[in-house]
């Protein structure tokens, strides 16, 4: 959408408010709103000011002034606001130099796309993430000096099978059996349908929706693939739509990787492919119909898997999901059809256009701009350096004998391990000035100080269960 079309849309739809949004370092949309008459043609070049020192991981207070510059092509009418509101995603500029802000994740995604083109390998990277989430009826949590707890609930939760619900009508979902019985076991059909209708209202093409494996309202809505930057924009739009649609139904949504003990966690399996001049590059005559480029791309993901996990699985909670026994891909190997491998080659179609690699270890707590960019950079490094991904693992990895399993590289077992891997292995991310040393250091320092440190000092209820009577 051009600037002229945006201004016409504001007039034609009688827009009263324009909401300006940008993504912070961790992947959360931030925003402020202005009356529609504030938006003029030069707003799309000159921008509007805000305080960058209040944004996590960004500027210090002595360099706080920054500019948001709306991207006209990102404009969409908000389906939730009472007053007609137009939302636009923004780029971030330095007000002095007018250059893009190097720590803005959206700019990093832009640079990753440009770097791919500069290598001559391909001109387009497509991403198709499958975001899972839980729809809950309620959530409470608190951390105090003398108490710590969380309590969540869902009418589908198997723990409510014996609850007096006046009346309890049954159909509670047993652990790992949510994929995917019809109603009344699946109680969320209408809500998910409302979600996909709202997604399509804002320009996101949906392919399917369904209940997922876990009890207590685990769901998935799949978007059609798109280019890296566009898809990262869509992921944040997706989260906004899903969360607010649920709120209208009196429910709440979480994208936490592991909110429920004893059942499957929430992933963001990310399908990826490279194209050049409108032709797919991942189709060939090697393993599972892949090309040599696709094999090397997987080699890069496997080699740098532990480092990129610091972006694709960036929370302490991420590693509660990456454990054996819950369909989590903890082993860095590849296979066709086998979902216990970290990289899978879907075999639904023989069409060259459908040939892609599914990276299964990412989760939706990640910042999609950084996660997609890190995976692309690892894949490009694999292609440029012809990194061999090794032999496929066409068997259930969880059933391998210990001596054979010992030879399979593992995903990190903790956020601390992932951050250390990133510190040790990030040269591939610096190519083309896509990531910077400053951003990587900021990321590692923030995660250590703001997440790992508080977590390591907090006292967990299970410690009382195991140790109170020592």
């Amino acid at each position: 959408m051009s600037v002229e079309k945006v201004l016409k849309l504001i007039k034609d739809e009688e827009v009263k408010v324009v909401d300006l949004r940008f993504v912070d370092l961790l992947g959360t949309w931030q925003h402020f709103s202005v009356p529609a008459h504030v938006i003029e043609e030069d707003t799309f070049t000159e921008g509007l000011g805000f305080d960058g020192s209040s944004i996590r991981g960004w500027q210090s207070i002595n360099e706080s002034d920054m500019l948001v510059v709306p991207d006209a092509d990102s404009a969409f009418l908000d389906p939730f606001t009472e007053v007609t509101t137009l939302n636009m995603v923004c780029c971030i500029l330095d007000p002095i130099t007018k250059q893009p802000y190097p720590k803005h994740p959206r700019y990093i995604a832009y640079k990753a796309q440009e770097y791919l083109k500069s290598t001559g390998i391909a001109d387009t990277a497509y991403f198709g993430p499958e975001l899972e989430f839980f729809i809950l009826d309620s959530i409470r949590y608190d951390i105090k000096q003398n108490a710590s707890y969380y309590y969540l609930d869902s009418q589908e939760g198997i723990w409510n099978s014996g609850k007096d619900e006046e009346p309890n009508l049954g159909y509670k979902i047993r652990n790992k059996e949510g994929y995917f019985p019809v109603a009344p076991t699946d109680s969320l059909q209408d809500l998910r349908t409302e979600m996909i209708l709202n997604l399509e209202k804002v320009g996101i093409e949906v392919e399917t929706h369904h209940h997922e494996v876990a009890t207590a309202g685990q769901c998935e809505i799949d978007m059609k693939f798109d280019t890296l930057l566009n898809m990262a924009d869509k992921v944040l739009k997706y989260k906004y739509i899903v969360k607010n649609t649920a709120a209208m139904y009196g429910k709440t949504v979480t994208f936490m990787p592991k909110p429920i003990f004893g059942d499957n966690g929430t992933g963001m399996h990310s399908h990826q492919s490279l194209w050049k001049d409108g032709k797919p590059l991942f189709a060939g005559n090697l393993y599972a119909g892949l090309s040599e480029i696709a094999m090397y791309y997987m080699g890069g993901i496997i080699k740098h898997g532990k480092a990129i996990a610091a972006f694709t699985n960036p929370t302490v909670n991420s590693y509660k999901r990456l454990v054996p026994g819950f369909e989590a891909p903890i082993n860095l190997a590849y296979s066709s059809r086998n979902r216990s491998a970290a990289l899978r080659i879907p075999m639904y179609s023989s069409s060259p256009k459908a040939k892609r690699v599914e990276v299964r270890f990412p989760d939706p707590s990640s910042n999609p701009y950084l996660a997609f960019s890190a995976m692309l950079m690892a894949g490009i490094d694999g292609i440029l350096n012809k990194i061999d991904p090794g032999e496929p693992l066409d068997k259930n990895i969880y059933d391998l004998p210990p001596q054979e399993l010992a030879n399979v590289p593992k995903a990190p077992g903790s956020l601390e391990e992932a951050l250390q891997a990133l510190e040790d292995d990030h040269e591939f991310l610096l190519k083309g000035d896509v990531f910077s040393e400053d951003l990587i250091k900021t990321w590692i320092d923030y995660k250590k100080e703001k997440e790992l440190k508080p977590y390591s000092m907090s006292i967990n209820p299970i410690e009382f269960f195991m140790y109170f009577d020592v």
Side-chain angles (χ1 to χ4, degrees):
M1 189 179 296
S2 66
V3 171
E4 292 75 18
K5 287 183 178 179
V6 170
L7 296 175
K8 184 176 185 299
L9 179 65
I10 290 173
K11 181 179 179 181
D12 292 349
E13 296 293 334
E14 298 183 356
V15 170
K16 299 294 189 295
V17 173
V18 174
D19 197 60
L20 302 173
R21 304 179 171 198
F22 61 91
V23 64
D24 69 9
L25 186 64
L26 301 186
T28 301
W29 251 354
Q30 308 290 341
H31 78 130
F32 65 91
S33 302
V34 298
H37 64 76
V38 171
I39 302 300
E40 300 174 339
E41 188 171 350
D42 63 2
T43 307
F44 294 87
T45 53
E46 297 299 317
L48 297 170
F50 75 101
D51 176 8
S53 68
S54 297
I55 306 302
R56 297 177 294 183
W58 279 16
Q59 295 290 79
S60 60
I61 196 166
N62 60 306
E63 298 177 309
S64 59
D65 289 351
M66 303 186 80
L67 294 174
V68 294
V69 179
D71 180 349
D73 197 45
S74 70
F76 68 97
L77 291 170
D78 196 302
F80 304 111
T81 53
E82 184 176 346
V83 174
T84 307
T85 300
L86 184 73
N87 301 329
M88 285 191 284
V89 181
C90 297
C91 303
I92 307 299
L93 300 185
D94 183 288
I96 308 300
T97 66
K98 298 297 175 69
Q99 293 300 305
Y101 181 53
K103 289 184 185 177
H104 186 209
R106 197 168 187 260
Y107 180 51
I108 291 166
Y110 168 79
K111 289 192 291 182
Q113 292 185 148
E114 293 303 302
Y115 175 64
L116 173 65
K117 295 175 187 176
S118 75
T119 65
I121 295 169
D123 52 38
T124 306
Y126 284 117
F127 280 75
E130 300 173 352
L131 279 83
E132 298 167 341
F133 53 92
F134 280 86
I135 301 174
L136 303 171
D137 294 327
S138 65
I139 173 67
R140 292 182 286 122
Y141 50 88
D142 204 354
I143 302 172
K144 301 178 180 179
Q145 187 175 19
N146 66 323
S148 179
Y149 76 94
Y150 71 91
Y151 186 89
L152 56 80
D153 207 2
S154 162
Q155 68 180 47
E156 290 186 354
I158 187 61
W159 56 82
N160 284 323
S161 60
K163 182 180 179 181
D164 184 3
E165 295 179 329
E166 299 180 347
N168 187 328
L169 300 178
Y171 296 102
K172 311 303 181 186
I173 297 176
R174 291 178 288 272
N175 288 343
K176 299 189 180 184
E177 294 188 20
Y179 189 90
F180 32 34
V182 299
T185 304
D186 177 4
S187 67
L188 299 166
Q189 172 77 18
D190 288 341
L191 175 49
R192 289 196 309 273
T193 296
E194 188 74 18
M195 288 172 175
I196 70 166
L197 293 178
N198 283 334
L199 286 166
E200 297 212 320
K201 280 181 186 177
V202 301
I204 294 178
E205 186 174 347
V206 173
E207 293 187 328
T208 184
H209 77 80
H210 57 82
H211 204 287
E212 257 298 341
V213 172
T215 187
Q218 189 183 38
C219 297
E220 179 176 313
I221 298 173
D222 292 338
M223 300 176 280
K224 185 177 180 180
F225 65 88
D226 205 340
T227 56
L228 187 156
L229 179 57
N230 285 344
M231 182 50 74
D233 282 346
K234 287 180 177 179
V235 168
L236 293 197
K237 195 185 293 186
Y238 174 110
K239 286 186 173 184
Y240 177 74
I241 295 295
V242 166
K243 289 177 180 180
N244 281 281
T245 306
M248 293 176 66
Y249 276 67
K251 295 183 183 290
T252 189
V253 162
T254 181
F255 288 90
M256 274 181 68
K258 190 77 170 184
I260 294 177
F261 173 72
D263 209 340
N264 281 23
T266 290
M268 187 180 72
H269 307 150
S270 298
H271 297 252
Q272 302 164 43
S273 63
L274 300 182
W275 292 57
K276 188 174 184 179
D277 298 327
K279 296 179 181 179
L281 300 182
F282 276 12
N285 56 7
L286 299 179
Y287 175 80
L290 291 178
S291 66
E292 187 176 56
I293 282 179
M295 297 297 287
Y296 290 146
Y297 188 95
M298 290 195 300
I301 297 285
I302 290 171
K303 177 180 178 180
H304 301 297
K306 289 190 176 185
I308 62 178
F311 292 114
T312 60
N313 305 80
T315 68
V316 171
N317 188 251
S318 297
Y319 299 89
K320 305 294 178 69
R321 166 182 170 255
L322 293 180
V323 295
F326 296 94
E327 297 188 23
I330 61 172
N331 297 288
L332 297 174
Y334 71 95
S335 174
S336 65
R337 305 177 67 181
N338 188 347
R339 283 175 163 81
S340 67
L343 286 82
R344 186 178 76 93
I345 301 92
M347 303 298 291
Y348 298 123
S349 172
S350 59
S351 169
K353 293 182 178 180
K355 193 56 64 178
R356 60 195 186 274
V357 172
E358 177 191 7
V359 182
R360 294 178 59 81
F361 55 85
D363 69 56
S365 69
S366 60
N367 182 327
Y369 301 94
L370 300 181
F372 296 164
S373 297
M375 286 187 280
L376 177 62
M377 295 300 288
I380 292 173
D381 188 65
I383 295 168
L384 292 177
N385 292 292
K386 298 183 177 181
I387 298 173
D388 185 354
E391 294 299 314
L393 209 51
D394 289 329
K395 57 186 79 173
N396 190 332
I397 294 174
Y398 302 131
D399 293 337
L400 290 180
Q403 59 271 25
E404 189 174 350
L405 189 59
N407 296 321
V408 180
K410 305 291 188 296
S414 67
L415 177 58
E416 187 173 17
E417 185 182 342
L419 294 174
Q420 186 60 55
L422 177 62
E423 195 167 354
D424 295 340
D425 175 26
H426 61 258
E427 285 296 322
F428 69 99
L429 295 172
L430 304 179
K431 301 292 179 61
D433 194 34
V434 176
F435 288 76
S436 66
E437 289 280 8
D438 183 43
L439 181 131
I440 291 170
K441 183 179 186 302
T442 299
W443 182 265
I444 292 172
D445 290 348
Y446 183 95
K447 289 289 175 177
K448 286 182 176 179
E449 184 65 25
K450 301 295 186 180
E451 297 182 28
L452 283 176
K453 185 176 178 180
Y455 181 76
S456 67
M457 295 173 65
S458 64
I459 301 170
N460 193 304
I462 198 171
E463 296 175 56
F464 286 87
F465 180 81
M466 293 190 296
Y467 308 130
F468 181 76
D469 57 350
V470 296

